[in-house]
Amino acid sequence: MLKNYIDGEWRASSSSAGLDVENPSTGELLARVPLSTKEDVDRAVSAASAAFKEWKRVPASRRVRPLWKLVQLLRDNEDAIARILVQEMGKSLPDAAAEMKRSIENAETACAMPVLQQGDKMIECGTGIDGEVMRLPMGVFGMIAPFNFPAMVPFWFFPYAIATGNTFVLKPSELVPLTMAKITEYIHEAGFPKGVFNLVNGDRNAGEALVENPEVKGISFVGSTPVCRHIMQGCARHGKRCQAMGRAKNHLVAMPDAKFDDMLRNMITSCFGCAGQRCMASSVIVAVGEKMYRNVCTSFVAEAKKVVVANPLDPAVAGEPVVMGPVISAKAKAFIGKMIEAGVQEGAKLVLDGRGLSVPGCENGHFIGPTVFTEVKPGSTLHRTEIFGPVVAIIKADTLDEAIGIINDGEYGNGASIYTQNGFWARKFKLDVDAGMIGINVGIPAPVAQLPFGGMKASLMSDIKTQGKAIIDFYTTSKVVTERYLDE
Ligand code: NAD
């Protein structure tokens, strides 16, 4: 059974209940994850709260020293961590390596906190009066993570929280607890004071205990939209800050002048990387004009057939350009199958069916091959539902305005991309599409760590995005001092 990391020590959960953690490629049992209790969570929060008293007084330039050390430890061990990530999550090794790089990039960005956290001062804001804005840490922050980026999503938050002088309690996804358990060993080695970073494993009950604990000043949640709503309501009830990043249904728009071959390669990676389980994965292609629609339908299916579906750790596929692993669980696979059936029932044309695929030697894995529908009706279940699997809907539009309307009618607004060389079309797209992250000839427009990450509508239900300068506002409260000294 895995342990929790509380107050600088590995401790067993107070509960003996647990869940199996399986390798989704093989069905092999990797570990047992404890279903930690409210008592475990409260103990972690108390440790974090006690650590905050000292940590907030440590100068920012010294607070980031262990983070620098962590960056180095992660660099030295990133390949080994990436392999653990593949084992428990199932994405390809290059995808896991890229995830590690972005995680490290976030820790590096947070190392700039001595500059990023600086306040403002206005001398003579009134006659003989100075005004000053101070950005101060607040206390304990919590984070509840999803399964699809076991390392990177926690790194969107905790390096910034700690570097601003707060302390932290992380609850990883119960489906993929091993990556952060390994990384926590390096966090320990990096030399943060006890209680500054804590990790509690568990399911929704541990998440809810974090939301309900009165000492927790704010929660960052990333996961499905219904849980986002629930977390936001909980945070509002308990009067705490909240970041809530939810589901997505991302569109790629192919304009008639797009550079076709580059676009096609880019679309395949966007749609089938991580078996479609990225919040920035695209699952709808809108082709503008009859000719582009016909070309995309034919060529995209031909390219999709070349995607190799396999256990990503099988040495036989190491040299393949695009490897797609399994989806996370039998439950996820069953849901994706149900959505494919819904598409068929709605009258969309199933031109590539990934169901029924078997990977030799991995008969207990949760594999599903690339799946493509054409003639999809805008607004249908297939079009509007987040399927979170390798299922792509291709829709035809006559104009860019129609394509933008198709995107904006949806519930979600995480990412959207356009393929074009035409500046007018690109500008119109970036201004008029209701999505928080826009790509122009970029199929996965996930911003680098120095820039804010987050969607709109039901993809981001709170005000503040993560990463970059945006997150400093989440992790600090400002005090504004107006001061005057009278003549001697
Ligand atoms: P999920 O909502 O099932 O679970 C996410 C986390 O919430 C887990 O740690 C889980 O234990 C916890 N949880 C579940 N119910 C809870 C409750 N009632 N109270 C407190 N905690 C609770 O999501 P998932 O399946 O792990 O992740 C996939 C989802 O995450 C997809 O919808 C994907 O689009 C989304 N996602 C979004 C972004 C983004 O940037 N918007 C990024 C990554 C993933």
Side-chain angles (χ1 to χ4, degrees), residues 142-157 168 170-174 219-229 231-232 242-248 277-280 386 388 414 437 453-455 458-462 464-467 471 475:
M143 201 270 131
I144 303 169
F147 78 85
N148 61 333
F149 283 95
M152 186 187 76
V153 168
F155 274 84
W156 282 349
F157 305 97
F168 205 79
L170 170 69
K171 191 206 85 64
S173 162
E174 60 274 34
I219 294 283
S220 300
F221 171 82
V222 181
S224 56
T225 296
V227 185
C228 262
R229 287 202 178 92
I231 301 271
M232 286 205 75
C242 182
Q243 284 177 307
M245 304 167 76
R247 286 178 176 156
Q277 301 168 110
R278 287 186 188 124
C279 63
M280 292 301 282
E386 182 191 60
F388 229 49
N414 221 33
M437 293 171 278
F453 186 112
S459 297
L460 178 79
M461 304 193 71
S462 47
I464 296 186
K465 298 190 177 196
T466 189
Q467 295 190 158
I471 192 123
Y475 286 132

Side-chain angles (χ1 to χ4, degrees), residues 326-392:
V327 295
I328 189 68
S329 62
K331 192 173 154 204
K333 185 175 169 179
F335 174 73
I336 295 163
K338 214 173 94 190
M339 284 297 114
I340 296 174
E341 199 42 49
V344 172
Q345 293 303 322
E346 284 175 327
K349 194 166 161 196
L350 181 57
V351 289
L352 184 63
D353 187 354
R355 292 174 296 181
L357 178 140
S358 168
V359 173
C362 292
E363 284 72 17
N364 293 325
H366 312 303
F367 291 94
I368 183 152
T371 298
V372 183
F373 281 94
T374 59
E375 296 175 32
V376 177
K377 289 193 197 71
S380 59
T381 303
L382 184 67
H383 172 223
R384 63 169 203 268
T385 310
E386 182 191 60
I387 298 176
F388 229 49
V391 180
V392 178

Side-chain angles (χ1 to χ4, degrees), residues 60-110:
S61 55
R62 268 195 268 148
R63 285 202 300 260
V64 297
R65 281 184 201 160
L67 259 185
W68 279 118
K69 177 129 191 248
L70 177 63
V71 165
Q72 197 49 53
L73 287 165
L74 294 176
R75 277 208 191 294
D76 293 345
N77 296 283
E78 61 185 307
D79 294 343
I81 304 170
R83 288 188 86 79
I84 295 173
L85 205 158
V86 174
Q87 269 183 355
E88 67 175 351
M89 194 278 162
K91 62 179 69 176
S92 71
L93 258 178
D95 275 330
E99 175 170 350
M100 284 311 300
K101 296 224 175 325
R102 183 57 59 83
S103 306
I104 294 169
E105 197 184 272
N106 270 283
E108 285 170 340
T109 305

